[in-house]
Amino acid sequence: MRAIPATRGPRGAPPPPPPLAALLQSNALLDDAALAGATPLRADVLVLGGGGAGAAAALAAAGAGRQVILATKLRMGDSNTVMAEGGIQAAIGPEDSLQHHFDDTLRGGHNSADPHLVKQLVTDGPAVIRWLIGLGMHFDLEKEAGLGARLLRKKAGGTTVPRILSHRDVTGLEMMRVLREAVELHPRITVMNRCPAVELLSDDAGACVGAVLYDLEHRRFLLLRSPAVILATGGSGRLHLGGFPTSNHYGATADGLVLAYRMGARLRDLDSFQYHPTGVAWPAPLAGGLISEAVRSAGAWLVNGHGQRFVDELLARDIVAAAILREIAEGRGVTRGGRVGVFLDTPGLLARQPDLLETRLTGLKHLAHKAGFDPRREPFLVAPTLHYQNGGAVIDPQGETTIPGLYAAGEVSGGVHGRNRLMGNALLEIISFGRRAGAHAAARPVAAYSRGGIEHVHRWQRALAAAGLPRAPRAPLLYPDYAPFSLRQHAAA
Amino acid sequence: MDTLNQVLLYPAFQLGADLEGWLAAGGGQGLIAALAEPAAIIPTLREADLRGMGGAGFPTWRKWQAAAEAPGAGKFVVCNGNEDEPGTFKDRHLLRWTPHAVVEGGLIAALATGAAHLVLYINPHQAAAVAEMRRAVAQWQASPWLARMERALGHPLDIAVVETSGRYIGGEETAVISWLDGHFPFPRRKPPFPAQSGVGRAPTLINNTETLAHVPHILRHGAAWYRALGIGAAAGTKLYSLSGDVMRPGLYELPMGTSLQELIFVHGGGMLEGRDFKAVFTGGPSNTLLTKRDLDVALDFDSVRARRSRLGTGAMIVISEGTSIIRKVAEYIAFFAAGSCGQCPSCKAGTFQLARLLDRIDGGRGTAEDLQALESLCRILPGSGRCGLIDGAVTVVESSLHTFPDEYAATR
């Protein structure tokens, strides 16, 4: 895929793929007329996004005594967090250490991650697990269960020590279960479902002082003023970059990147995306859906059309994905129903460890049930699927972007993973940096007088005009382009 | 872009604190002319029709004459660089990029009035301007010019850079005096006028930064040259701070009397996103709104006043169709409410209530009673304060009520 350079906005970011570049360089969805009719609201901290990072941020800010509004485009919990199957990394084992985790993460990211952020990530690991257990999250235990049982640790691709903690192969779902309960029961958090952010608000000094939301149910704009805004808007899989299917949920349309960039925030590694090696290639209705790395972690092999293993399945994800693409490109793939992939040898795995399907791979069992076949007898056809946006908004170890008052946590931020992410580090990141951003945003002084406006949008429109760029395309996308939704028509109706 | 007739923003003068560069570019000539014939300074300004650029448009020579004729020793000349109102950003440019023009103007004023102190009163929020001006003043003090000045004056001349309180109200003349006397910048009633009793009870001349920056050029080239720069009856050039929904906002130096149409559609590159023009808040922004009918108005003090508005500081905040007037007014009134010094109850409570009512109306929570309250406040508040803050606030509210009644109709 050929990348085009961004000609407007803060430079320094590597050129993103064209569809993303087009979104970043598009015009705003709203103008002053929308603003004039907007209903004003206030919050001490505004969290955009209802996934794991947003929930963690909201809980941290509310815990510090702030009134928090959490606005989400879909519903609380509709996110990629619930899709995370494999687990969460944290260096808690006796043979493990923070240094090991740090080294693995940096190496896995090809030494391109920000070491300050990685240090923060791995240091927070054990505390994050303790916090999650405190919220009521269940983790798998070692065989000798009972009092004093230890958490079961699994090995992730690209790591030197078993470090993955999991709840079967539905870890993210379990995590979101407790996060959602905690958020919805918290007296200082107001959850606003189906309220996508369509623009940020800036003050005269260029700080972020709120956001404009669009309330889908009441068809009205909301002008939400807040001295701190936390972007937890996730990634961009639904742009289907390079024509790949995606494992991402419906809302992953790069909204956070668009809003932050328009305001002048620096972004990084936007050309770098993770393609998960084992997305479902067939049957077609499940295409793009994920088969957890836990399956390979448990020992399943990848097999090409000649029946040969062609890669160590537990190498870093980008290497395994590249190996699969090479097999396909060189004609050793398997075609089924018009779709090409390689086999994930579940019959072999389940022959060796027959009880896995009932104990650790319940997600796989559910998937096989949906696909209508028996993984004990038939292998899955898999191919890489667009999985994770490695880059994003540049943040400091407290989660603040280069724009004062604007924070980012989770997939929308960049630098934590560098140019490749290890399994299990995303779930750790959303809690670690979500809580950091929430706590730091809560400490931000509430300005005495800051109305906030969209002057940064006007500056942006002037820049577009000066550069001769088209002003018709509008962003954020909010919903995938195959969704029958137009904000302008919806708002006018 | 049309850069003809630029004086203050003439590229070769944008030097920062570089006295030698300023002298090489022709600076100092005005001071030489003034030193040669001090008695001719005020008549020259009178002939040039230089006006107070801080918003009043009052003839500068009258102020100078009053200060010159006032009895008393240790007179002060103050360059007012407190600039803090929304939409105005001219003085900070002059202080940062042409500090020597400003100091030279101040020296000429000191010469004309016989002052012993020149104070550069600068808003600390504009840190770069303060730092640059400190360097510039140090260069003048180390130069032979100061000695020549003192010989001509017959007494020492003290030049100081003073940081203001950073408050909006600190720009008011009597507040300037109060601050320089070491008190909170409370405005007081006039008279006595500063020219009679100012800093330390000494006669004091307070001029806007832009006004003083014009002075050395006028003395150097003569009054006729300056008058010819303006359009029609208007004289000289003016700095316009253009902002809002235009393609190219920025600081423009244009002949005094340039039409609003030309400022927005020629220099400003037209409206943002091709929207329709709706109104202009003039700086700042405490004056009657200019609307579509006023696009042809010549932007000089007298022509704008003929449309029952004021040129003010030359700030033009352009609003397009689709932007709520009420919201903008609410923003500005909130600024005034925050900026009120609080010593006059009518202003303290009045601006607060205006802001509260506008916020309710703007947010769709206003009632017909709120609107009535707003209208009656506009009748009872004017003239009730020691300074003009409350009057300016009421003027802009009242103007929006008159000019855009439809926007308030939903509340009625």
Side-chain angles (χ1 to χ4, degrees):
Chain A
M1 190 167 15
R2 196 176 63 86
I4 58 168
T7 54
R8 289 294 115 188
R11 315 296 171 81
L20 181 53
L23 276 189
L24 291 178
Q25 300 202 137
S26 53
N27 204 344
L29 279 174
L30 53 74
D31 50 25
D32 300 85
L35 223 55
T39 310
L41 291 173
R42 293 202 87 112
D44 294 337
V45 173
L46 170 62
V47 179
L48 301 176
L59 287 170
R66 297 295 186 166
Q67 289 293 336
V68 179
I69 288 182
L70 187 152
T72 172
K73 179 164 64 175
L74 303 170
R75 295 163 306 169
M76 181 71 209
D78 290 346
S79 62
N80 282 342
T81 300
V82 300
M83 311 262 194
E85 300 173 337
I88 175 168
Q89 288 206 35
I92 60 166
E95 75 281 32
D96 203 353
S97 72
L98 300 182
Q99 186 69 47
H100 279 120
H101 191 178
F102 179 84
D103 293 343
D104 287 347
T105 302
L106 265 192
R107 192 178 333 106
H110 308 300
N111 291 314
S112 58
D114 180 340
H116 301 289
L117 299 182
V118 177
K119 177 185 134 198
Q120 207 67 74
L121 177 81
V122 303
T123 312
D124 284 351
V128 163
I129 302 303
R130 198 170 292 120
W131 186 72
L132 286 170
I133 291 173
L135 285 183
M137 180 171 170
H138 293 292
F139 286 99
D140 291 338
L141 301 176
E142 282 179 4
K143 272 263 163 55
E144 57 277 20
L147 276 180
R150 291 192 179 157
L151 299 181
L152 178 69
R153 288 173 292 118
K154 292 187 271 190
K155 193 168 179 320
T159 62
T160 51
V161 181
R163 193 182 297 127
I164 291 282
L165 311 173
S166 58
H167 177 75
R168 301 184 176 161
D169 58 352
V170 288
T171 316
L173 195 60
E174 168 66 8
M175 182 187 282
M176 201 67 234
R177 178 183 70 81
V178 298
L179 287 175
R180 188 165 78 184
E181 270 176 13
V183 165
E184 294 197 332
L185 291 175
H186 202 294
R188 282 190 293 277
I189 302 176
T190 307
V191 175
M192 298 174 63
N193 288 321
R194 298 190 187 87
C195 288
V198 293
E199 199 56 68
L200 297 174
L201 293 174
S202 58
D203 71 1
D204 296 342
C208 181
V209 292
V212 184
L213 310 180
Y214 179 68
D215 180 343
L216 283 164
E217 281 178 42
H218 301 96
R219 304 189 176 207
R220 58 179 183 172
F221 288 97
L222 305 172
L223 194 69
L224 217 155
R225 300 196 190 109
S226 166
V229 177
I230 301 173
L231 285 178
T233 50
S236 52
R238 287 282 165 171
L239 301 183
H240 296 289
L241 301 170
F244 278 89
T246 184
S247 60
N248 287 184
H249 81 293
Y250 200 62
T253 52
D255 297 355
L257 293 184
V258 169
L259 297 182
Y261 187 73
R262 193 174 287 155
M263 192 131 177
R266 292 191 81 81
L267 311 179
R268 57 170 287 171
D269 298 323
L270 280 192
D271 56 333
S272 172
F273 290 83
Q274 183 167 80
Y275 295 85
H276 194 289
T278 53
V280 177
W282 188 89
L286 297 181
L290 211 58
I291 297 177
S292 166
E293 189 164 329
V295 180
R296 277 177 292 135
S297 180
W301 294 344
L302 289 168
V303 176
N304 67 15
H306 299 309
Q308 301 158 329
R309 274 181 85 185
F310 53 88
V311 67
D312 174 358
E313 288 83 359
L314 289 181
L315 288 175
R317 283 176 175 174
D318 55 341
I319 299 172
V320 178
I324 295 174
L325 289 176
R326 189 178 59 233
E327 294 301 305
I328 292 170
E330 294 178 0
R332 295 189 292 277
V334 183
T335 307
R336 197 167 175 187
R339 291 179 181 261
V340 195
V342 296
F343 283 127
L344 179 68
D345 183 15
T346 47
L349 172 71
L350 294 171
R352 292 194 295 278
Q353 297 170 276
D355 61 335
L356 273 183
L357 208 54
E358 300 302 328
T359 56
R360 277 165 60 186
L361 303 180
T362 46
L364 182 75
K365 184 183 166 192
H366 180 64
L367 192 67
H369 177 72
K370 275 202 286 186
F373 67 76
D374 182 0
R376 293 169 204 278
R377 294 180 47 218
E378 241 182 314
F380 274 92
L381 189 67
V382 297
T385 178
L386 183 50
H387 185 57
Y388 191 81
Q389 165 187 297
N390 293 325
V394 172
I395 55 170
D396 68 11
Q398 303 302 337
E400 190 162 11
T401 67
T402 53
I403 302 293
L406 182 63
Y407 298 77
E411 195 171 346
V412 71
S413 70
V416 179
H417 309 292
R419 300 182 66 76
N420 181 51
R421 177 175 67 77
L422 294 183
M423 165 191 184
N425 267 349
L427 285 187
L428 176 57
E429 177 198 10
I430 58 175
I431 305 298
S432 162
F433 284 95
R435 292 181 69 206
R436 285 194 169 273
H440 204 239
R444 208 177 153 73
V446 180
Y449 163 66
S450 99
R451 272 186 92 84
I454 54 168
E455 183 53 37
H456 66 285
V457 172
H458 296 165
R459 274 201 301 278
W460 177 251
Q461 288 168 335
R462 286 176 196 120
L464 287 183
L469 287 165
R471 275 171 287 161
R474 297 192 180 254
L477 197 55
L478 302 184
Y479 300 96
D481 50 11
Y482 40 83
F485 179 82
S486 156
L487 180 85
R488 303 192 145 234
Q489 282 165 15
H490 189 269
Chain B
M1 188 165 307
D2 182 17
T3 54
L4 287 176
N5 296 337
Q6 286 199 327
V7 180
L8 302 181
L9 300 187
Y10 185 60
F13 294 152
Q14 313 303 305
L15 298 164
D18 173 5
L19 185 54
E20 285 187 14
W22 166 246
L23 297 175
Q29 300 293 326
L31 186 54
I32 290 172
L35 284 165
E37 201 183 351
I41 298 174
I42 292 173
T44 304
L45 294 188
R46 178 179 189 171
E47 208 181 314
D49 193 23
L50 178 64
R51 306 288 194 93
M53 302 295 188
F58 190 75
T60 304
W61 70 272
R62 286 198 192 211
K63 265 190 171 180
W64 287 35
Q65 185 143 19
E69 288 171 352
K75 293 181 188 176
F76 276 80
V77 170
V78 180
C79 165
N80 188 348
N82 189 60
E83 182 175 76
D84 191 39
E85 54 272 50
T88 307
F89 40 85
K90 64 188 179 67
D91 294 346
R92 66 197 69 181
H93 178 97
L94 296 175
L95 294 167
R96 168 68 183 83
W97 294 103
T98 65
H100 291 301
V102 179
V103 177
E104 193 178 325
L107 292 175
I108 294 169
L111 203 58
T113 55
H117 304 274
L118 169 58
V119 177
L120 297 136
Y121 177 83
I122 306 172
N123 194 324
H125 296 159
Q126 295 148 25
V130 174
E132 201 66 19
M133 191 48 96
R134 284 196 203 282
R135 278 194 290 276
V137 166
Q139 289 171 6
W140 280 99
Q141 282 167 335
S143 76
W145 292 89
L146 192 62
R148 287 181 67 183
M149 277 291 299
E150 289 176 348
R151 265 202 307 282
L153 282 166
H155 55 73
L157 175 65
D158 169 53
I159 311 179
V161 175
V162 175
E163 293 188 10
T164 75
S165 57
R167 295 166 193 276
Y168 170 65
I169 198 68
E172 207 277 340
E173 278 195 332
T174 55
V176 172
I177 292 166
S178 178
W179 180 253
L180 292 179
D181 277 340
H183 308 301
F184 186 86
F186 282 129
R188 61 159 170 79
R189 283 204 183 283
K190 293 188 273 194
F193 290 96
Q196 301 161 313
S197 172
V199 184
R201 306 212 168 199
T204 300
L205 169 66
I206 302 172
N207 274 140
N208 174 256
T209 304
E210 186 188 352
T211 314
L212 287 179
H214 277 293
V215 169
H217 300 291
I218 295 173
L219 278 254
R220 177 185 174 195
H221 295 290
W225 164 86
Y226 187 76
R227 289 201 71 106
L229 289 175
I231 294 174
T237 62
K238 174 88 191 86
L239 292 179
Y240 297 100
S241 309
L242 180 63
S243 65
D245 304 338
V246 294
M247 281 307 292
R248 290 194 298 266
L251 184 62
Y252 294 92
E253 183 181 12
L254 301 172
M256 184 77 93
T258 302
S259 76
L260 183 60
Q261 168 93 26
E262 183 184 336
L263 176 66
I264 294 173
F265 291 94
V266 178
H267 303 283
M271 300 296 291
L272 183 67
E273 295 286 281
R275 295 186 211 154
D276 285 337
F277 171 86
K278 185 171 182 177
V280 170
F281 288 92
T282 66
S286 51
N287 304 313
T288 302
L289 284 155
L290 297 175
T291 59
K292 257 184 193 146
R293 279 175 315 195
D294 303 312
L295 270 174
D296 61 329
V297 69
L299 294 176
D300 62 65
F301 291 105
D302 302 334
S303 306
V304 178
R305 186 162 297 160
R307 305 281 174 114
R308 296 169 187 278
S309 184
R310 284 161 192 268
L311 182 59
T313 59
M316 300 285 147
I317 305 172
V318 182
I319 305 301
S320 62
E321 286 293 350
T323 302
S324 160
I325 292 285
I326 302 180
R327 172 153 309 222
K328 284 288 169 193
V329 172
E331 279 176 29
Y332 301 141
I333 297 303
F335 170 82
F336 289 130
S340 170
C341 73
Q343 63 171 339
C344 309
S346 60
C347 175
K348 177 182 178 177
T351 51
F352 173 81
Q353 289 299 341
L354 287 175
R356 188 183 70 88
L357 293 168
L358 283 163
D359 203 45
R360 286 175 57 83
I361 294 169
D362 171 37
R365 290 167 285 125
T367 60
E369 287 76 41
D370 288 337
L371 195 57
Q372 278 172 15
L374 191 70
E375 284 166 342
S376 63
L377 279 175
C378 286
R379 281 193 297 275
I380 62 175
L381 286 176
S384 63
R386 287 177 174 81
C387 75
L389 188 143
I390 186 66
D391 301 346
V394 167
T395 304
V396 70
V397 175
E398 202 171 27
S399 156
S400 72
L401 282 163
H402 277 148
T403 322
F404 295 95
D406 295 353
E407 303 210 4
Y408 289 92
T411 310
R412 211 170 285 277

